[in-house]
């Protein structure tokens, strides 16, 4: 794909549509790199299965509204589909398609025997009671029952969902089968067969890769600074783990704003503040900063760990971090990727950086199927081994072929999925 074509690509307003366009462009580049034929390209570009469902919800006040939900399986050539369930007002079918495709590459890249899937419901969970969210979850699960199962498609938590939602999903599916099926979801509560270390796995994976990236450019982590954008599922523990290994986390942001302290933020104290008031804003140990400005601070490491598309054509040229490690899915648009590469910024792509969650989800699935629990040390040591191996594979491939880390990661993943396609053959 030519640089001219990339430069003239229009910026799309809808974040989901933009994410899908970015995902498909990344695939286009990998196909061109390998020289694969158009038939292979068409198969990898298309979802294997897509389901859109209506979810009627009886609110606590007796009124009824209808929500939209999705479950998309992008590819199942390497094993059952795997991917999170997202509750967000911005969820749409294009966003879910993009996330499912990225899950396919993520699983292949880290050699996890899964294909890629994703689910979502267009709902802002902050505006609904726990009882209402349970009714939404159980109805959504019932509607997608034909697609899911421990050997078919295994959901997990994502933005707006948690282990409680996974417990409701597992119970709903189990009732339909007449017996308990623990392996139908991952990210479950420990008392229902969840894995030790699952809740912080994505964050730990981000930090393993971030430390490897810092060392690859000659930076000692204890003499580096970082900004973490997002203080939720991924960002909160990523900031905590970075702080524990000596990285000075100088700024943290959330959807309401950001806080900054040049000497480093007390991350544990910040966590207590957020638990009390619901936002990083107002934390007494730091000064307030506009959320967008946090992305542009002069630091060694930037971890965007919230939603897609936060680094884009309009702000990428102001990013001063030496390394960007993508804790979120798709936080850097295609145009921003090119700007950062031209500026010499090392970008560690999401399909590598945030793969810790799916790795430990795989560990949980194995444990559920065996009815056996691993120790926390076993889980975390195996996670560290997988993440470091993934970094070595991608970094080595990028160096060998003169590619960015994103191009290298996607090319490696696409090759592995294509090999599985070809070995299985085309039926009939």
């Amino acid at each position: 794909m030519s640089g001219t074509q990339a430069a003239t690509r229009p910026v799309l307003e809808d974040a989901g549509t933009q994410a899908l366009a970015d995902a498909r462009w990344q695939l286009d580049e990998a196909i061109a790199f390998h020289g694969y034929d158009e038939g292979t390209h068409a198969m990898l570009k298309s979802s294997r299965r897509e389901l859109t469902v209506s979810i009627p919800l009886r609110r606590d006040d007796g009124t009824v509204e209808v929500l939209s939900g999705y479950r998309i399986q992008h590819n199942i050539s390497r094993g059952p589909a795997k991917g999170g369930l997202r509750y967000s007002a911005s969820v749409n079918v294009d966003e879910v398609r993009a996330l499912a495709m990225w899950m396919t590459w993520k699983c292949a890249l880290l050699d996890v025997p899964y294909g890629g899937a994703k689910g979502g419901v267009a709902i802002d969970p902050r505006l609904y009671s726990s009882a209402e969210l349970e009714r939404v979850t159980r109805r959504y699960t019932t509607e997608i029952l034909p697609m899911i199962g421990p050997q078919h498609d295994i959901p997990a938590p994502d933005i707006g969902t948690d282990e409680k939602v996974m417990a409701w999903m597992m119970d709903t599916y189990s009732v339909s089968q007449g017996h308990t099926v623990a392996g139908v979801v991952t990210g479950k509560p420990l008392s229902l067969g969840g894995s030790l270390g699952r809740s912080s796995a994505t964050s730990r994976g981000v930090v393993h890769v971030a430390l490897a990236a810092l060392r690859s450019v000659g930076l000692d982590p204890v003499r580096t600074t970082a900004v973490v954008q997002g203080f939720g599922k991924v960002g909160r523990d990523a900031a905590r783990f970075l702080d524990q290994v000596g990285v000075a986390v100088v700024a943290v942001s959330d959807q309401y704003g950001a806080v900054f302290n040049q000497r480093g933020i007390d991350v544990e104290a910040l966590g207590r503040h957020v638990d009390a008031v619901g936002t990083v804003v107002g934390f007494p140990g730091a000064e307030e900063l506009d959320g967008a400005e946090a992305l542009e601070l002069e630091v060694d490491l930037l971890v965007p760990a919230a939603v897609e598309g936060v680094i884009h054509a309009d702000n990428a040229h102001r990013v001063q971090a030496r390394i960007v490690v993508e804790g979120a899915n798709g936080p850097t648009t295609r145009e921003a990727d090119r700007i950062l590469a031209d500026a010499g910024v090392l970008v560690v792509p999401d399909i590598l950086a945030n793969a810790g969650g799916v790795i430990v989800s795989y560990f949980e699935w194995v444990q559920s199927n065996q009815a056996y629990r691993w120790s926390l040390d076993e889980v975390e040591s195996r996670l560290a081994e997988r993440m470091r191996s993934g970094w070595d594979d991608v970094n080595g491939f990028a160096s060998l072929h003169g590619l960015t880390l994103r191009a290298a990661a996607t090319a490696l993943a696409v090759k592995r999925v294509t090999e599985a396609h070809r070995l299985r053959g085309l039926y009939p």
Side-chain angles (χ1 to χ4, degrees):
M1 190 156 300
S2 72
T4 301
Q5 287 176 303
T8 58
R9 175 172 173 265
V11 176
L12 306 175
E13 292 184 2
D14 177 77
T17 305
Q18 181 73 67
L20 181 59
D22 289 338
R24 287 177 171 170
W25 272 63
Q26 291 160 14
L27 172 61
D28 292 348
E29 286 195 339
I31 293 291
F33 174 82
H34 290 298
Y36 292 153
D37 60 80
E38 281 303 312
T40 299
H41 190 186
M43 285 193 298
L44 295 178
K45 187 175 183 178
S46 304
S47 301
R48 180 69 173 264
R49 298 187 184 98
E50 297 188 354
L51 181 62
T52 300
V53 299
S54 294
I55 306 167
L57 167 66
R58 182 180 294 107
R59 301 292 303 266
D60 291 339
D61 63 5
T63 61
V64 174
E65 66 177 276
V66 179
L67 307 168
S68 294
Y70 312 93
R71 189 69 187 176
I72 293 177
Q73 296 171 355
H74 171 254
N75 188 280
I76 54 173
S77 291
R78 301 185 74 255
K82 188 78 183 78
L85 170 62
R86 175 173 294 193
Y87 284 179
S88 170
S90 66
V91 163
N92 60 43
V93 69
D94 279 348
E95 178 184 61
V96 180
R97 285 170 177 152
L99 294 169
M101 183 182 291
W102 282 325
M103 277 300 300
T104 296
W105 312 144
K106 188 181 300 183
C107 293
L109 184 64
L110 276 297
D111 199 24
V112 175
Y114 288 140
K118 205 72 176 185
V121 177
I123 182 175
D124 185 343
R126 297 169 299 179
L127 305 180
Y128 293 77
S129 70
S130 179
E132 289 169 335
L133 291 175
E134 180 176 357
R135 292 196 287 273
V136 168
T137 301
R138 291 186 181 276
R139 183 57 182 258
Y140 170 79
T141 305
T142 302
E143 295 289 346
I144 67 167
L145 275 177
M147 291 183 71
I148 63 174
Q151 305 302 325
H152 303 288
D153 183 352
I154 307 105
D158 197 87
I159 292 173
T161 59
D162 55 18
E163 63 177 24
K164 183 164 58 177
V165 172
M166 293 302 106
W168 294 331
M169 289 196 79
M170 187 202 79
D171 181 69
T172 305
Y173 181 86
S174 296
V175 168
S176 77
Q177 301 299 304
H179 60 94
T180 298
V181 186
V184 67
V185 298
T186 58
K188 303 181 295 294
L190 288 175
S191 58
L192 293 178
S195 175
L196 296 167
R198 172 60 184 87
S199 61
S200 62
T202 303
S203 306
R204 283 199 180 277
V206 166
V207 174
H208 284 311
V209 171
L211 296 178
L214 288 168
R215 294 186 179 109
S216 75
V217 297
L219 292 175
D220 183 346
V222 300
R223 294 183 176 86
T224 58
T225 55
V227 168
V228 177
Q229 184 257 342
F231 203 67
K233 283 185 190 303
V234 179
R236 179 168 179 161
D237 279 337
R240 181 165 63 90
F241 296 146
L242 286 169
D243 181 61
Q244 287 174 357
V245 297
V247 176
V249 180
V250 299
V252 174
S253 68
D254 62 16
Q255 61 185 313
Y256 304 106
V259 290
F260 170 77
N261 185 326
Q262 184 62 54
R263 296 186 302 277
I265 291 170
D266 183 335
V267 177
E268 293 290 346
L270 178 62
R272 293 192 294 271
H273 171 80
V274 170
D275 289 341
V277 305
T279 176
V280 301
V281 176
F283 176 57
E287 61 184 89
E288 290 190 16
L289 192 69
D290 180 77
E293 290 181 68
L295 294 167
E296 301 166 9
L297 292 173
E298 186 175 356
V299 290
D300 299 301
L301 173 67
L302 170 62
V303 180
V307 296
E308 59 266 18
V310 296
I311 304 175
H312 44 76
D314 293 334
N315 68 357
H317 64 281
R318 295 194 296 272
V319 171
Q320 300 183 71
R322 293 184 62 181
I323 298 172
V324 175
V325 176
E326 296 184 330
N329 291 311
T332 310
T333 68
R334 172 69 184 187
E335 292 80 8
D337 234 7
R338 186 172 298 277
I339 293 168
L340 294 176
D342 289 344
V345 178
L346 183 68
V347 178
V348 183
D350 47 5
I351 63 171
L352 171 60
N354 67 25
V358 75
I359 290 171
V360 179
S361 277
Y362 167 56
F363 295 165
E364 179 179 332
W365 179 72
V366 170
Q367 292 169 78
S368 291
N369 291 339
Q370 295 177 334
Y372 182 80
R373 175 168 289 166
W374 300 354
S375 70
L376 181 59
D377 284 345
E378 285 179 290
V379 171
E380 293 190 346
S381 65
R382 293 180 186 193
L383 169 62
E385 179 184 354
R386 289 284 188 123
M387 295 303 300
R388 290 166 186 156
S389 177
W391 164 262
D392 289 341
D393 286 349
V394 173
N395 194 42
F397 194 86
S399 299
L400 180 63
H401 296 284
L403 300 173
T404 65
L405 293 179
R406 189 185 312 282
T410 307
L412 270 173
V414 168
K415 180 181 179 182
R416 291 171 182 174
V417 175
T418 302
E419 286 175 350
H421 266 304
R422 291 178 174 174
L423 287 169
R424 293 181 62 154
L426 188 61
Y427 176 84

